[in-house]
Amino acid sequence: MAAKKKQTFEERLMQVEGLISEMESGALPLEDALKRYEEGMQALAALEKELQSAQQKLTVLRRAADGTDEEVPLEVEE
């Protein structure tokens, strides 16, 4: 059996968007909609964790007043 290719962040996000579209259509029975909801929430939690990890890795190089460069955490707008 061939190993599964790890999905990219974008592919997983598209998968979540597909789940949302399915649920919004109103065509799913309640039990199926609940299962999709649970799948979506788990996927979103994993995506959020990945985003937080990436955010921690990002740094901005800023020129200090004395002319030297320093690395500072990327400021996030909320």
Side-chain angles (χ1 to χ4, degrees), residues 7 9-12 40 49-50 60-61 70-72 76:
Q7 288 183 312
F9 179 88
E10 292 78 9
E11 289 169 335
R12 289 179 294 167
K49 185 177 179 180
E50 187 174 341
V60 176
L61 198 58
E70 62 180 309
E71 287 187 24
V72 295
V76 178

Side-chain angles (χ1 to χ4, degrees), residues 50-63:
E50 187 174 341
L51 280 175
Q52 288 173 348
S53 175
Q55 182 180 1
Q56 290 173 352
K57 292 177 185 177
L58 290 176
T59 57
V60 176
L61 198 58
R62 181 175 70 188
R63 177 93 35 203

Side-chain angles (χ1 to χ4, degrees), residues 37-56:
Y37 178 80
E38 289 176 4
E39 290 172 23
M41 292 306 293
Q42 290 173 352
L44 284 174
L47 290 170
E48 184 175 353
K49 185 177 179 180
E50 187 174 341
L51 280 175
Q52 288 173 348
S53 175
Q55 182 180 1
Q56 290 173 352

